[in-house]
């Protein structure tokens, strides 16, 4: 196993009576991009602030490059950790030009090194023509690049980004995302970024950590998180999902809509009651008068249409479908798994 | 609460220690008054409940409440007319009704006396017509009430205006849609939404009246401040003056508590999405003419007549050779220079003292910060005469070089106006995102360096505003200068006071005009900076 550059263990923090982080474990490897995916209020920003040294956890340890920076008797000041942090609103100093912003963190170095660093990061972030401008004269995407340049100029051990794309117009987001990924890859800086947007988390990151209510529930490659979620919660965070009751039967599970193939067999014993996770794209619909399921709602969204289908057992399943003109509420349909699709099941106790 | 919880977290001593010093300085006058009173004979407590003392209480409370009510009657309609209705010349009335702020209370009293008082402008005309007994006397309650009300109503206008964004436009619209007419909507929606601004404006006026010394002493209405000064001047028992000062402090604190009680815990939230909407102008039909008439009348009484009276005395003084320099050795430019020196030094000291405290209160809230901030607000409840008196005693005890030094006077003014400066600086830090400081720390700068490098450059205009405001109010300060100024140190305010108390009306004109002119400079700056007349109510 590779040597990690950052290790967080057993982190706890509370604000008042609200426990924000609960025994959190996490690590980060050199050069990798890790995204933390979680709903708002799950503590992901607090985690970044703790790593940066801006909040003090009540318990736990943090190692950076095998050096303890936080522990029972250690708490290295934020300014001595050399961890770069990019805030959601970028926090560019409004009274300083782009150039002065970038030089802010390296103003104690000698002039020649300052110039070299400036040259290096402005090339990396393509800020050439903007050096004399002030933050308010820049677009959101440009401001973000300045924030990254300012941080990279200090050659940080790792980089932390808090919801980096949430302040950008939806139309810009994709382009900026690809650009930022390019910069991060080129600078080869290990990065953690937090987001509540699943698509963002999956598309940039080498690994995704799913975080809910103060701890990390699952960490792995994006496809692992999507196809092998370890809990109902992770399944819901990693993609749209319905849950229906089922009973295990060999390598299949019996449900109100039919018999579905299991992705992981032999996990549960025969006749055990389980919950089956069904993604919106897992089932196809076939209109037939003898069908046992009824379309009760149609939600047209342009690229796709979502149908709410009620099963014989009164369970609700949402299905994504491209063609919408021939399907309408009140129609009887048959549901069957799309070819090669396999299904994840969870224990009924799993909330 | 454990000590670690009481201490503001992550506080650098570089900020905590100066804050503690500032707080200690601000609390000194109050503490010394308490020491002084507790060390005095026990029979002064009996003196406190004597009828004469109780009358002083009653008069002070009566005047404070009456002035507040009259100011409300003047200010609330004017604010509504100038911001929300289609009354003609709204901007003109806005500016005119703002101007009384530059007139100190004793100048107001001087104007009243020199206009209708004995030997005044109207006196010679009225005397043959009405006889001496027929001329309404301006001395006493009614004179003080009129003078102070027409000087302090702008405080209420300003407080309401600065909170005008809390008016919930969608609430008004909803009320109209539900069938309420304009008047009902005004009573049921608009007034409640500015209620808390009305309360805090009223408190300002009540405290202003309670602590006023200049007007009541010139108009001979025997309130607290007048009694304190007299006890001190008479000089046989200075402990009673200290006791009265403490009683005045308690009274001011009660006023503040009452305001907090009225305001309650209610918060008037509004939809944030409606925040930036411009307030709609309401058509009040033919009523716009009486409305304009009302504003014109108030402007006439509180601005136009006072200025004309001043000009009359100026011209009369210049033409008839009533030279303003005959009473004291100093000429007016030395008086002006002294006033400016005092105000500048005070402004600088307040800004320096307020910076660390404001930083703590915004960035490092906690129990200790709370105490420090409360201590720095002593000057808000401890009237000028009380602060000055305490520091006179204190200075006399310490002796030279502090006693009768300019430094002690500057300290007194700084303690008095610390709340004002602190408020202005605090609000400028509030507008700076704490993320700048945190960014700076993650970029490798130490805590104290980060605090300075990221906040100070962005606070420049906030600091200038604070300094300008403190300068403005120190220019008008009277009791502190009377009690604490070094022997040969005279300012415009002391000159106006002594000329007026001896009815040398012509001689008081030049210093009064100079004072108003010099105060107008920082005031104009503050007005322009804050867009007081532009941000609302214009077509």
């Amino acid at each position: 196993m590779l040597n990690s550059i950052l290790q967080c263990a057993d982190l706890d923090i509370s604000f008042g009576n609200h426990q924000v982080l609960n025994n959190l474990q996490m690590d980060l490897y050199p050069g990798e991009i890790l995204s933390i995916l979680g709903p708002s209020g799950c503590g992901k920003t607090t985690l970044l602030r703790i790593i940066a040294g801006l909040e003090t956890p009540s318990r736990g340890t943090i190692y950076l490059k095998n050096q303890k920076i936080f522990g029972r008797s250690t708490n290295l000041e934020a300014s001595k950790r050399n961890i770069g942090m990019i805030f959601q609103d970028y926090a560019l100093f409004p009274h300083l030009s782009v150039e002065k912003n970038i030089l802010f963190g390296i103003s104690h170095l000698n002039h020649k090194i300052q110039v070299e660093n400036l040259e290096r990061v402005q090339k990396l972030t393509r800020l050439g023509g903007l050096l004399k401008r002030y933050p308010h004269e820049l677009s959101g995407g440009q401001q973000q690049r300045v924030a990254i340049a300012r941080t990279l100029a200090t050659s940080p051990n790792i980089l932390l980004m808090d919801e980096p794309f949430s302040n950008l117009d939806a139309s810009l987001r994709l382009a900026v995302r690809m650009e930022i990924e390019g910069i991060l890859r080129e600078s080869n800086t290990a990065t953690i970024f937090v987001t509540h947007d699943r698509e963002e988390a999956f598309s940039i990151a080498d690994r995704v950590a799913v975080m809910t209510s103060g701890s990390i529930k699952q960490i792995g490659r994006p496809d692992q998180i999507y196809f092998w979620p370890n809990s109902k919660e992770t399944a819901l965070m990693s993609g749209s999902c319905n849950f229906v009751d089922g009973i295990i039967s060999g390598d299949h599970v019996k449900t109100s809509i039919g018999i579905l193939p299991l992705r992981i067999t032999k996990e549960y014993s025969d006749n055990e009651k389980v919950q089956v996770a069904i993604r919106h794209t897992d089932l196809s619909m076939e209109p037939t008068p003898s069908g046992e399921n009824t379309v009760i709602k149609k939600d047209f969204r342009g690229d796709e249409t979502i149908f709410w289908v009620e099963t014989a057992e009164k369970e609700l399943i949402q299905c994504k479908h491209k063609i919408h003109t021939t399907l309408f509420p009140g129609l009887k349909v048959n549901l069957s798994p799309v070819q090669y699709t396999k299904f994840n099941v969870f224990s009924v106790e799993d909330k | 609460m454990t000590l670690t919880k009481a201490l503001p977290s992550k506080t650098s001593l570089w900020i905590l220690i100066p804050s503690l010093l500032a707080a200690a300085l601000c609390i000194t006058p109050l503490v010394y008054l308490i020491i002084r009173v507790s060390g005095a004979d026990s029979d002064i407590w009996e003196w406190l409940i004597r009828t004469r003392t109780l009358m002083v209480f009653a008069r002070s409370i009566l005047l404070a409440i009456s002035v507040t009510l009259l100011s409300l009657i003047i200010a609330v309609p004017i604010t509504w007319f100038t911001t929300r209705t289609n009354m003609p010349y709204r901007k003109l009335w806005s500016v005119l009704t703002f101007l009384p702020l530059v007139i100190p209370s004793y100048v107001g009293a001087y104007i009243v006396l020199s206009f209708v008082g004995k030997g005044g402008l109207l006196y010679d005309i009225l005397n043959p017509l009405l006889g001496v007994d027929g001329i309404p006397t301006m001395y006493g309650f009614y004179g003080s009430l009129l003078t102070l009300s027409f000087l302090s109503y702008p405080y209420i206008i300003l407080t309401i205006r600065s909170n005008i964004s809390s008016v919930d436009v969608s609430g008004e619209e909803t009320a109209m849609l539900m069938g309420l007419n304009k008047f009902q909507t005004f009573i049921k929606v608009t007034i409640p939404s500015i209620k808390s601004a009305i309360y805090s404006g009223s408190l300002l006026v009540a405290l202003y009246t309670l602590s006023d010394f200049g007007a009541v002493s010139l108009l001979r209405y025997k309130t607290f401040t007048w009694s304190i000064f007299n006890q001190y001047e008479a000089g046989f028992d200075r402990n009673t003056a200290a006791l009265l000062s403490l009683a005045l402090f308690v009274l001011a604190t009660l006023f503040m508590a009452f305001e907090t009680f009225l305001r309650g815990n209610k918060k008037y939230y509004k939809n944030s999405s409606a925040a930036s909407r411009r307030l709609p102008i309401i058509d009040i039909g033919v009523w716009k003419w009486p409305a304009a008439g009302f504003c014109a009348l108030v402007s006439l009484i509180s601005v136009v007549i006072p200025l004309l009276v001043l000009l009359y005395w100026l011209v009369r003084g210049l033409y008839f050779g009533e030279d303003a320099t005959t009473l004291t050795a100093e000429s007016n430019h030395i008086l002006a220079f002294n006033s400016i020196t005092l105000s500048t030094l005070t402004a600088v000291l307040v800004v320096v003292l307020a910076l660390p405290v404001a930083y703590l209160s915004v960035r490092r809230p906690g129990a200790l910060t709370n105490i420090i901030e409360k201590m720095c607000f002593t000057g808000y409840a401890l009237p000028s005469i009380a602060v000055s008196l305490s520091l006179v005693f204190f200075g006399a005890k310490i002796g030279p070089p502090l006693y009768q030094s300019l430094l002690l006077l500057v300290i007194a003014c700084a303690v008095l106006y610390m709340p004002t400066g602190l408020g202005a600086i605090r609000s400028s830090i509030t507008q700076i995102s704490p993320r700048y400081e945190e960014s700076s720390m993650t970029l490798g700068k130490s805590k104290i360096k980060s605090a300075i490098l990221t906040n100070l450059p962005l606070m420049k205009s906030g600091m200038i505003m604070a300094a300008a405001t403190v300068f403005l109010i120190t220019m008008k300060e009277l009791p502190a200068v009377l009690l604490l100024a070094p022997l040969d140190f005279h300012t415009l305010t002391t000159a106006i006071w002594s000329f007026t108390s001896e009815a040398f009306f012509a001689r008081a004109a030049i210093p009064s005009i100079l004072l108003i002119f010099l105060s107008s400079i920082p005031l104009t700056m503050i007005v322009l900076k804050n867009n007081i007349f532009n941000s609302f109510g214009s077509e």
Side-chain angles (χ1 to χ4, degrees), chain B residues 160 162-169 193-194 196-197 268-270:
Chain B
I160 301 177
S162 63
N163 285 284
I164 203 120
S165 57
S166 65
V167 172
D168 188 351
V169 178
S193 69
I194 56 167
S196 76
Y268 301 96
Y269 290 109
K270 59 167 182 163

Side-chain angles (χ1 to χ4, degrees), chain A residues 49 52 54 78-79 83 85 87 89 91-95 104-105 107-108 150-151 154, chain B residues 10 433 435-447 449-450 453-454 457-458:
Chain A
R49 292 175 59 83
L54 300 171
S79 57
I83 292 177
M85 173 135 178
F87 291 91
D89 55 5
L92 297 179
F93 305 126
H95 58 295
F104 186 90
S107 57
H108 57 284
R150 180 175 71 176
T151 306
T154 63
Chain B
K10 295 186 273 184
S433 163
R435 300 291 98 80
Y436 298 144
E437 218 173 314
E438 292 175 345
S439 277
S440 166
M441 287 197 268
T442 63
L443 291 168
K445 305 285 183 205
S446 69
K447 276 181 211 163
K449 256 193 188 163
S450 297
L453 285 174
T454 59
L458 297 173

Side-chain angles (χ1 to χ4, degrees), chain B residues 384-402:
Chain B
S384 170
I385 188 106
V387 169
S388 317
L389 195 77
S390 173
L391 288 178
V392 166
F393 296 153
F394 188 67
K397 184 141 188 128
I398 302 251
L402 201 58

Side-chain angles (χ1 to χ4, degrees), chain A residues 27-48:
Chain A
D27 45 18
L28 180 73
Y29 296 100
E32 85 165 329
I33 300 180
L34 171 73
S35 69
I36 297 179
L37 174 65
S40 46
C42 74
K44 48 196 197 305
T45 298
T46 307
L47 173 62
L48 288 197

